[in-house]
Amino acid sequence: MVKKKSKETKESLESSIAPLLEINYKEPLFTAAAHPTKPILISGLATGHLYCNTYDPTILEAESEKKKEEIAELEEKVYASGLTPVVSKSISETKKKWWKIVEDNSELPTDSLDIKTNWKTKRHKGSCRHAIFDPRPDHLGEYIYTCGTDNVIKKANTESGKVVGKVDVVEDYYDSKDKLTKLCHSNTHSFILSGTEDGNVLVYDSSNLSANNLKFKVQSAHDDSINHILSMTSSPYHYLTLGSTTLSHIDIRKGIITQSDDQEDELLSMSYTTEEISDGKSDTVLVSHGEGLITIWKNSKNKLRDQLSRIKLNKDVSIDSIIPTMNNSDEDMENSVWCGDSDGMLHRVNFKKGKVVETRVHSKDGDEVGILDIDYDYRLISAGMDTLKIWGK
């Protein structure tokens, strides 16, 4: 008789990699972004405040390793004395954290060596909903774009935080009660796209925002709020958008090119694969769903009209965020994406194998992982409304 293989448990998949830094927020964190080439972190809050922080990974790693060794030595002594039956190796179960913990992001000093505040400001009158760095090679990370519930898009200098352009978009709404949700900047042109709660896309000239230069307008890309926008490499005018239960391929000059079949499940986030990003392609798209799964789509197969396959993660949670590892050091990492769920878990999914291959616990208190990013040195960043973590390598 052939022995059945035992199912992999959550514990067996838990990574041995711990956070390098943990930042806690007293006010809800709505958005965060990592600078593409420097250890700089932007965080936007429900209060409309925007923080710019710099961290030093070398110092943080040295501090963390020293404290980890001290804790391990103490635990071994306790175990040897018989006061504890086992020494836990689980990162999520450890009672003594050895990584740097900031209890309140607003109290970070401006002169600390391991992590400091570069600048902070009240950027929006309402909440700060989304923040992104400029992705263009000739302006890479030079500017920060934010949008808020005050219906304003602002462009600021990353180094100083000074606003260098802004536009109030209300007059360009179809309905004055509409609100901004997401931003996306062209990788090559001065196009800043903004999605709205009513499912529309407004496109402005980022080189001269203050002139209120609306360049293009796509009405009803979706029936409901725009959840995500991705640029396509085929043209600076072509983008993918998610909203409600559909995925749309839009041309910002002409409108919807194709829209997917109704997926009967909310589509929350999407990403390309590491391999395609490295090769400058945008054919394969992975989409996260409200009902605990991710789906794989290919433009070359069916013009993104429907998913090709699905990977089930956990039907009891929503998969709120997804991002490629951006690590092509080996085949497993290159074929993987990170997903964050509504229960505070992180899953590394190998989409070629169709399964979860690694887990990390962002929060044991159910802090929904609605934000994922990769820093300049390929470290994973996860965040919910309460806590942000930069993970070790």
Side-chain angles (χ1 to χ4, degrees):
M1 180 180 292
V2 178
K3 185 177 180 180
K4 291 183 179 180
K5 293 183 179 179
S6 60
K7 290 186 177 180
E8 292 173 313
T9 64
K10 183 173 74 173
E11 290 75 17
S12 69
L13 292 175
E14 185 178 353
S15 174
S16 60
I17 296 176
L20 191 63
L21 173 66
E22 176 180 327
I23 305 176
N24 295 298
Y25 295 80
K26 299 301 182 183
E27 301 292 341
L29 176 67
F30 276 12
T31 182
H35 193 284
T37 62
K38 301 176 182 178
I40 296 176
L41 181 70
I42 291 292
S43 53
L45 278 61
T47 57
H49 288 87
L50 193 69
Y51 290 83
C52 179
N53 302 110
T54 293
Y55 56 97
D56 189 318
T58 303
I59 294 177
L60 288 169
E61 286 169 357
E63 292 174 344
S64 179
E65 189 60 33
K66 180 181 178 181
K67 191 172 181 181
K68 181 181 179 181
E69 290 175 358
E70 291 173 353
I71 290 174
E73 184 178 345
L74 180 61
E75 288 182 339
E76 288 295 341
K77 288 180 180 179
V78 173
Y79 172 72
S81 68
L83 295 176
T84 182
V86 66
V87 176
S88 175
K89 299 297 183 183
S90 168
I91 303 296
S92 63
E93 296 299 326
T94 185
K95 294 181 180 179
K96 295 183 178 180
K97 299 178 179 180
W98 55 85
W99 52 91
K100 172 79 174 186
I101 298 176
V102 176
E103 295 296 348
D104 184 350
N105 78 294
S106 65
E107 296 181 353
L108 276 168
T110 58
D111 56 355
S112 178
L113 295 178
D114 50 8
I115 177 169
K116 65 181 180 180
T117 297
N118 300 336
W119 50 262
K120 56 185 176 182
T121 184
K122 172 77 169 174
R123 182 60 20 113
H124 294 279
K125 292 180 181 178
S127 61
C128 182
R129 281 195 161 178
H130 201 200
I132 60 173
F133 283 99
D134 199 316
R136 294 172 293 171
D138 54 341
H139 294 288
L140 193 58
E142 183 180 353
Y143 300 109
I144 299 164
Y145 300 90
T146 61
C147 67
T149 51
D150 55 2
N151 301 304
V152 175
I153 300 172
K154 291 187 176 181
K155 174 185 179 180
N157 181 279
T158 299
E159 184 176 347
S160 67
K162 182 181 179 181
V163 174
V164 295
K166 64 180 180 178
V167 56
D168 187 327
V169 306
V170 171
E171 65 181 66
D172 297 319
Y173 284 154
Y174 292 97
D175 182 343
S176 60
K177 295 181 180 179
D178 202 359
K179 296 289 184 183
L180 295 170
T181 58
K182 292 291 180 181
L183 296 174
C184 177
H185 199 289
S186 166
N187 293 324
T188 56
H189 288 54
S190 59
F191 300 154
I192 180 77
L193 284 74
S194 54
T196 78
E197 289 183 354
D198 286 349
N200 305 309
V201 177
L202 309 176
V203 186
Y204 296 90
D205 180 356
S206 66
S207 66
N208 191 12
L209 273 180
S210 298
N212 192 22
N213 187 7
L214 179 70
K215 296 187 70 69
F216 307 105
K217 194 172 184 177
V218 179
Q219 184 176 10
S220 300
H222 299 280
D223 295 332
D224 206 342
S225 180
I226 301 288
N227 290 332
H228 204 147
I229 308 174
L230 273 183
S231 61
M232 301 182 75
T233 57
S234 56
S235 165
Y237 301 99
H238 287 228
Y239 297 82
L240 301 181
T241 60
L242 290 183
S244 188
T245 59
T246 55
L247 184 156
S248 294
H249 174 188
I250 65 171
D251 183 323
I252 54 178
R253 301 164 299 182
K254 304 173 183 178
I256 297 173
I257 295 178
T258 61
Q259 187 171 80
S260 74
D261 296 339
D262 187 342
Q263 300 299 298
E264 299 180 353
D265 183 13
E266 188 170 10
L267 309 183
L268 300 173
S269 185
M270 60 181 162
S271 78
Y272 298 121
T273 68
T274 295
E275 181 180 19
E276 290 204 350
I277 292 174
S278 298
D279 293 342
K281 299 177 181 178
S282 53
D283 183 48
T284 304
V285 186
L286 288 92
V287 178
S288 70
H289 288 238
E291 294 185 353
L293 56 92
I294 63 172
T295 50
I296 302 174
W297 307 59
K298 272 187 177 290
N299 190 32
S300 59
K301 293 290 185 181
N302 58 10
K303 302 298 182 183
L304 300 171
R305 294 188 182 277
D306 203 358
Q307 59 180 272
L308 298 178
S309 59
R310 56 175 52 195
I311 303 170
K312 296 179 181 179
L313 304 187
N314 185 346
K315 66 179 181 179
D316 298 322
V317 300
S318 60
I319 309 303
D320 297 334
S321 50
I322 186 170
I323 195 167
T325 64
M326 299 302 292
N327 183 343
N328 52 14
S329 60
D330 60 61
E331 189 175 0
D332 181 46
M333 292 299 293
E334 186 175 61
N335 294 334
S336 293
V337 291
W338 283 106
C339 301
D341 74 24
S342 58
D343 200 32
M345 293 294 298
L346 297 167
H347 313 272
R348 182 164 66 84
V349 181
N350 186 309
F351 54 86
K352 291 286 183 71
K353 295 179 180 178
K355 66 177 184 178
V356 177
V357 292
E358 180 185 344
T359 65
R360 299 181 189 179
V361 180
H362 169 78
S363 168
K364 296 182 71 175
D365 301 320
D367 187 24
E368 299 179 6
V369 186
I371 304 166
L372 289 177
D373 207 345
I374 303 294
D375 85 349
Y376 76 105
D377 204 21
Y378 308 109
R379 296 177 185 87
L380 175 67
I381 297 176
S382 62
M385 286 193 175
D386 301 328
T387 303
L388 179 146
K389 291 181 177 180
I390 301 179
W391 295 81
K393 295 171 67 176

